[in-house]
Amino acid sequence: MAEGDRATYSPALQVTAVTDATNTAYCIGGSLSYPLGPGQTSTWDHGVNYVSPATGGFCPL
């Protein structure tokens, strides 16, 4: 994805790791929902339904 883009996946995209290689914080939603900051990586087996830039640095619950 390009920095600032949003993406949705249906069915969920099954992943083992998600890395934010941008300067933008993102919200990751799916079987786990969490914020992911610039340069961070999450390493859990899970399904991702959406990736969206964090609005004002926050992710909706």
Side-chain angles (χ1 to χ4, degrees), residues 5-61:
D5 282 357
R6 300 171 189 267
T8 57
Y9 306 98
S10 182
L13 181 66
Q14 296 301 309
V15 300
T16 57
V18 178
T19 299
D20 182 350
T22 72
N23 292 314
T24 301
Y26 279 88
C27 301
I28 312 298
S31 57
L32 298 173
S33 295
Y34 54 93
L36 192 64
Q40 291 184 324
T41 297
S42 71
T43 54
W44 299 297
D45 291 334
H46 61 292
V48 173
N49 292 102
Y50 71 86
V51 177
S52 178
T55 304
F58 294 96
C59 294
L61 297 176

